Amino acid sequence: MPHAHQTVPVEPRVSLRTLNTFGLPAVAANLVRIRTDADVRRIVDHPQWGRAPKFVLGGGSNVVFTHDVDALVVKVEVPGIRLVQERADAWIVEAGAGEVWHDLVTWTLDHGIAGLENLALIPGSVGASPVQNIGAYGVELKDRFESLDVVDLVTGRTVTLDAVGCNFGYRDSVFKRHLQGKAVIVRVRLRCPRPWQPVLGYLDLERKIAETGHSHPDARMVYDWVCAIRRAKLPDPKLIGNAGSFFKNPVVTPEQCRDIIGRDPEVVHYPMPDGSVKLAAGWLIDACGWKGKSIGGAGVYEKQALVLVNRGNATGGEVLTLARAIQESVYGRFGIRLEPEPVVV
Ligand SMILES: Cc1cc2nc3c(=O)[nH]c(=O)nc-3n(C[C@H](O)[C@H](O)[C@H](O)COP(=O)(O)OP(=O)(O)OC[C@H]3O[C@@H](n4cnc5c(N)ncnc54)[C@H](O)[C@@H]3O)c2cc1C
């Protein structure tokens, strides 16, 4: 009989260049693909890999690789999408962590289930969507979240977490903090509320309403609008490497905001329900003159200063050098520390 550990198909020396949307060069010393909870348990129970540090990888659209990865890369490829519950107040849809997020959004609409349309075209996997509580156009994952299953990388046990257990924040959750590298999300359940209400309070969507004259769009129309807006604004990683927004939008006190407005009346800011004020990081970076600038192969996207891009053969080190230079100049002019959104490895 073969030992359990012989069934862990670890691939040595795997290039990660095509496994991250920035197209950054890095090599995984070892990589293993998991499709089931049992696959994760086999790693946990393995005499060598069980104790090894791990890095969990989904679609690689929110990581910056600055060097080769010694940790065992656990590439999540859990498949499947299904409707698990039809309640009076909601549809509950479950998806494997390895499914492409946008495919899940499309699947729900194809099955007459609305609610995820504002989150269309966000790159990456379903399993990573709770990690930074993905959000766009007025909706965050937490607004549509029911629960998830996670396999503990120490005990091998599958545990179900609700929203409280995930501790969601703005582009943040427990998986970016003390569970980072310690647990693999294998399934996510989304709650699509019934009856459906469109979320249209975002400026770009209000413009679409004005342009088209459709003040009561259906979910498919909102999906099409979101896709069109995103395609016009953001670089397609297949054509130009990037990880989306590179910095989080900073949240400041009303006093700090008034101080900045006093010096820069144009500053783009959004009052938040809790009294704080969110500033547009892209505006701050643009105001410091960074749009279109480069350091080595890393550059600031011409159409949106919040996005750093790979102009060809950029290294993770160049991306970080550029990011630090931007942070320094924004701090120098506005006194605000920008925090990177992607995970730096
Ligand atoms: C062009 C572009 C546009 C984007 N627009 C948006 C946007 O509008 N809103 C937004 O919120 N984000 C946006 N992003 C960021 C990105 O799409 C999301 O963060 C996405 O959820 C990352 O998914 P991924 O599978 O690629 O994760 P990866 O990059 O593979 O991983 C990201 C982090 O999650 C962890 N992780 C991944 N899978 C799992 C798992 N199954 N279990 C545990 N941990 C896991 C990794 O260890 C890593 O720490 C954009 C990115 C790009 C390139």
Side-chain angles (χ1 to χ4, degrees):
M1 280 286 284
H3 292 294
H5 67 262
Q6 287 174 330
T7 62
V8 177
V10 171
E11 303 162 41
R13 288 203 57 79
V14 177
S15 168
L16 297 172
R17 195 192 278 270
T18 58
L19 300 182
N20 75 97
T21 59
F22 235 120
L24 299 171
V27 172
N30 294 286
L31 180 145
V32 64
R33 297 169 196 272
I34 60 111
R35 290 177 62 84
T36 63
D37 301 28
D39 287 347
V40 185
R41 276 194 290 279
R42 271 193 283 277
I43 299 167
V44 172
D45 292 341
H46 192 277
Q48 179 186 357
W49 304 116
R51 282 195 300 271
K54 321 253 182 337
F55 179 75
V56 184
L57 183 63
S61 60
N62 210 29
V63 285
V64 178
F65 288 119
T66 56
H67 50 71
D68 292 343
V69 183
D70 291 332
L72 175 65
V73 174
V74 178
K75 176 86 173 73
V76 181
E77 298 184 349
V78 181
I81 303 179
R82 62 193 183 114
L83 177 64
V84 286
Q85 212 187 346
E86 192 181 333
R87 297 199 313 234
D89 65 332
W91 308 95
I92 309 296
V93 176
E94 180 182 274
E99 293 289 340
V100 171
W101 171 262
H102 178 69
D103 293 350
L104 168 64
V105 176
T106 308
W107 185 98
T108 54
L109 290 176
D110 288 348
H111 287 75
I113 300 168
L116 300 181
E117 56 285 343
N118 292 52
L119 302 175
L121 268 196
I122 297 182
S125 61
V126 167
S129 64
V131 173
Q132 72 151 354
N133 179 27
I134 57 168
Y137 302 98
V139 176
E140 285 185 320
L141 181 94
K142 71 172 172 55
D143 305 326
R144 301 286 181 264
F145 181 81
E146 176 74 5
S147 62
L148 58 75
D149 297 338
V150 72
V151 184
D152 185 310
L153 279 170
V154 177
T155 64
R157 271 204 297 270
T158 300
V159 181
T160 299
L161 295 182
D162 62 8
V164 173
C166 294
N167 202 7
F168 292 122
Y170 166 58
R171 299 296 174 272
D172 197 27
S173 76
V174 71
F175 304 103
K176 273 194 130 174
R177 294 173 183 272
H178 73 268
L179 285 187
Q180 188 168 25
K182 298 202 176 77
V184 182
I185 297 165
V186 282
R187 279 172 300 281
V188 179
R189 282 171 291 275
L190 285 317
R191 179 172 11 91
C192 296
R194 301 167 77 182
W196 172 75
Q197 289 284 341
V199 178
L200 300 168
Y202 202 89
L203 189 65
D204 284 332
L205 292 173
E206 284 170 2
R207 279 203 196 111
K208 285 284 178 194
I209 294 173
E211 266 168 46
T212 60
H214 287 292
S215 53
H216 298 288
D218 63 14
R220 178 64 72 166
M221 202 175 279
V222 176
Y223 168 94
D224 289 339
W225 288 350
V226 168
C227 290
I229 294 164
R230 295 186 67 100
R231 288 200 173 102
K233 256 191 173 172
L234 293 165
D236 178 352
K238 287 194 196 96
L239 306 174
I240 178 154
N242 76 94
S245 304
F246 199 90
F247 298 102
K248 296 183 187 184
N249 287 320
V251 177
V252 298
T253 62
E255 296 72 41
Q256 278 175 300
C257 186
R258 268 196 296 277
D259 179 47
I260 295 170
I261 291 173
R263 287 175 286 136
D264 285 275
E266 308 279 280
V267 66
V268 177
H269 60 286
Y270 311 96
M272 304 295 285
D274 65 358
S276 62
V277 185
K278 196 183 269 185
L279 303 179
W283 189 91
L284 302 172
I285 299 166
D286 195 13
C288 293
W290 280 101
K291 212 182 250 178
K293 295 272 166 61
S294 296
I295 291 184
V300 181
Y301 191 48
E302 289 77 5
K303 290 195 218 165
Q304 165 57 279
L306 191 50
V307 178
L308 303 192
V309 294
N310 183 349
R311 298 204 194 283
N313 294 324
T315 62
E318 286 169 347
V319 173
L320 276 201
T321 306
L322 176 61
R324 287 200 188 110
I326 291 171
Q327 283 169 313
E328 272 171 33
S329 64
V330 167
Y331 185 73
R333 171 149 173 197
F334 297 105
I336 289 170
R337 290 189 197 283
L338 291 181
E339 200 187 317
E341 192 189 284
V343 176
V344 177
V345 180

